[in-house]
Amino acid sequence: MVLVEDMVSRKHAKISTDNDQIVIQDLGSTNGTFVNGEKVKRVRLREGDRILIGTSIIKLVTTDGETAAAAVPGEFPSTAAPPPPTSPKRTVSGARSMAGTIDEIPLPDLMQLLSTSKKSGVLEVQTEEKFGRIYMRKGQVYYASINDSFDISPFKAVLRILTWESGTFELQPPDDKEFMDELKESTEGLLMEAMRQLDEIRRIEDELPPRDSQLQIVKPLETPLRELKPEQLDLLQTVLNHESTQAVIDHHAKSDLETYEAILELIKANVLIAS
């Protein structure tokens, strides 16, 4: 199987049978072989496994009711994903662009691939409502933005973008823009933190106020302000300035998870109310 793209090595990986098992082995490729998001050297494949080579996906499926292990050698029942659509944003004449859908290639998997291959460029991600940019330099994320807004810090922006599950992406050439508050965390660290925060937010999401709700300080306020922690007072100031839950989350200095947790603490302490 020939995959014509610059992120696929001349001899990238080998798929074969071994004692009635189907296995894939990386052949020392430059950018690696990924199975279900994990970089592998040699691993047994199972029905439904998703193999990522470059930006192409190969999925192991059964045919005609037979098991994948019974496949005839040379007729491995896999299907390569069709060429990904091109992002509608902007294209570079004469340059080959890496593009696809995050429904097929989850952003954490893609970011691992870009980090491993030390790619530089601007990863543009488009959903129905949002547009994000992740700036990379030799595989390292150094800035991110959502809807070109400076209200959301680059740390918050990249963590949010990494949790998007539907939309399209396109890797554009490196941008010469300079930013004062460049990110210092490793790409792997950002990926781990994004997944951790997503899990924690999902755990408490039933208690969270809707993002389109309004946050207000309870009146009369019975809790003495001197009993509040400094970070809680900072949150109250953000509420006074912005009120809506979404705006408070966007403008507060802390991460989305920390902001949500602080909002919940103040609601339970009868200091804030969401309406």
Side-chain angles (χ1 to χ4, degrees), residues 3 5-9 12 26 29-40 50-57 84 98-101 104-120 123 136-141 162 169 171 187-188 191:
L3 303 176
E5 54 176 285
D6 58 6
M7 294 188 69
V8 177
S9 298
H12 196 107
D26 185 80
S29 65
T30 301
N31 296 319
T33 300
F34 296 80
V35 176
N36 300 327
E38 295 186 10
K39 189 176 182 180
V40 299
R50 187 182 72 250
I51 305 162
L52 178 63
I53 296 179
T55 59
S56 297
I57 293 177
M98 178 196 297
T101 65
E104 287 291 339
I105 306 178
L107 285 176
D109 294 5
L110 178 62
M111 293 298 294
Q112 284 184 336
L113 181 64
L114 296 177
S115 177
T116 301
S117 58
K118 299 187 182 302
K119 281 286 185 179
S120 297
L123 183 65
M136 302 191 71
R137 185 186 297 124
K138 296 182 179 179
Q140 173 65 42
V141 177
L162 289 173
F169 71 83
L171 183 64
T187 300
E188 181 179 350
L191 288 169

Side-chain angles (χ1 to χ4, degrees), residues 217-224 269-272:
I217 298 176
V218 173
K219 296 179 181 179
L221 181 60
E222 297 180 357
T223 303
N270 200 33
V271 174
L272 284 181

Side-chain angles (χ1 to χ4, degrees), residues 102 106-108 110-111 123-127 130-135 141 143-148 152-166 168-169 191 194-195 198 256:
I102 56 180
L107 285 176
L110 178 62
M111 293 298 294
L123 183 65
E124 297 184 345
V125 186
Q126 177 78 57
T127 70
K130 295 168 286 188
F131 177 66
R133 285 191 175 96
I134 298 178
Y135 296 77
V141 177
Y143 195 78
S145 66
I146 296 177
N147 296 336
D148 293 326
I152 305 172
S153 71
F155 182 73
K156 281 190 176 188
V158 69
L159 295 190
R160 285 189 194 177
I161 294 171
L162 289 173
T163 62
W164 294 353
E165 297 179 342
S166 181
T168 61
F169 71 83
L191 288 169
M195 296 304 102
L198 180 61
D256 286 357

Side-chain angles (χ1 to χ4, degrees), residues 54-71:
T55 59
S56 297
I57 293 177
I58 302 171
K59 187 176 181 180
L60 179 61
V61 298
T62 57
T63 58
D64 299 328
E66 300 176 356
T67 62

Side-chain angles (χ1 to χ4, degrees), residues 16-268:
S16 60
T17 57
D18 183 6
N19 295 327
D20 293 329
Q21 297 181 351
I22 298 176
V23 298
I24 186 168
Q25 178 182 355
D26 185 80
L27 299 179
S29 65
T30 301
N31 296 319
T33 300
F34 296 80
V35 176
N36 300 327
E38 295 186 10
K39 189 176 182 180
V40 299
K41 291 295 184 183
R42 187 178 188 276
V43 70
R44 176 187 175 185
L45 295 174
R46 294 176 172 81
E47 167 74 10
D49 279 350
R50 187 182 72 250
I51 305 162
L52 178 63
I53 296 179
T55 59
S56 297
I57 293 177
I58 302 171
K59 187 176 181 180
L60 179 61
V61 298
T62 57
T63 58
D64 299 328
E66 300 176 356
T67 62
V72 178
E75 296 182 4
F76 178 68
S78 300
T79 56
T86 303
S87 167
K89 283 296 171 180
R90 61 185 173 90
T91 57
V92 180
S93 178
R96 185 187 179 101
S97 175
M98 178 196 297
T101 65
I102 56 180
D103 308 69
E104 287 291 339
I105 306 178
L107 285 176
D109 294 5
L110 178 62
M111 293 298 294
Q112 284 184 336
L113 181 64
L114 296 177
S115 177
T116 301
S117 58
K118 299 187 182 302
K119 281 286 185 179
S120 297
V122 182
L123 183 65
E124 297 184 345
V125 186
Q126 177 78 57
T127 70
E128 290 185 358
E129 300 177 350
K130 295 168 286 188
F131 177 66
R133 285 191 175 96
I134 298 178
Y135 296 77
M136 302 191 71
R137 185 186 297 124
K138 296 182 179 179
Q140 173 65 42
V141 177
Y142 67 93
Y143 195 78
S145 66
I146 296 177
N147 296 336
D148 293 326
S149 172
F150 290 101
D151 293 336
I152 305 172
S153 71
F155 182 73
K156 281 190 176 188
V158 69
L159 295 190
R160 285 189 194 177
I161 294 171
L162 289 173
T163 62
W164 294 353
E165 297 179 342
S166 181
T168 61
F169 71 83
E170 182 171 4
L171 183 64
Q172 300 288 358
D175 197 308
D176 58 1
K177 289 182 181 177
E178 295 184 0
F179 303 99
M180 293 182 61
D181 51 345
E182 290 193 2
L183 295 167
K184 303 300 181 184
E185 296 83 354
S186 68
T187 300
E188 181 179 350
L190 290 170
L191 288 169
M192 294 178 63
E193 181 62 15
M195 296 304 102
R196 184 190 75 83
Q197 289 204 23
L198 180 61
D199 288 343
E200 290 296 314
I201 290 175
R202 284 174 173 170
R203 183 178 59 82
I204 62 175
E205 63 184 350
D206 290 341
E207 305 176 66
L208 299 175
R211 295 202 172 197
D212 58 355
S213 64
Q214 297 292 309
L215 293 173
Q216 297 178 340
I217 298 176
V218 173
K219 296 179 181 179
L221 181 60
E222 297 180 357
T223 303
L225 292 177
R226 63 177 177 272
E227 293 183 3
L228 299 181
K229 302 173 185 177
E231 54 268 25
Q232 291 176 323
L233 292 173
D234 289 341
L235 178 61
L236 284 183
Q237 182 174 354
T238 307
V239 170
L240 288 171
N241 290 335
H242 301 285
E243 292 191 351
S244 80
T245 301
Q246 183 63 65
V248 169
I249 296 169
D250 289 345
H251 290 82
H252 193 52
K254 298 293 184 179
S255 69
D256 286 357
L257 175 60
E258 291 172 313
T259 304
Y260 267 133
E261 291 175 334
I263 289 174
L264 282 181
E265 286 180 357
L266 292 179
I267 289 177
K268 292 177 179 179

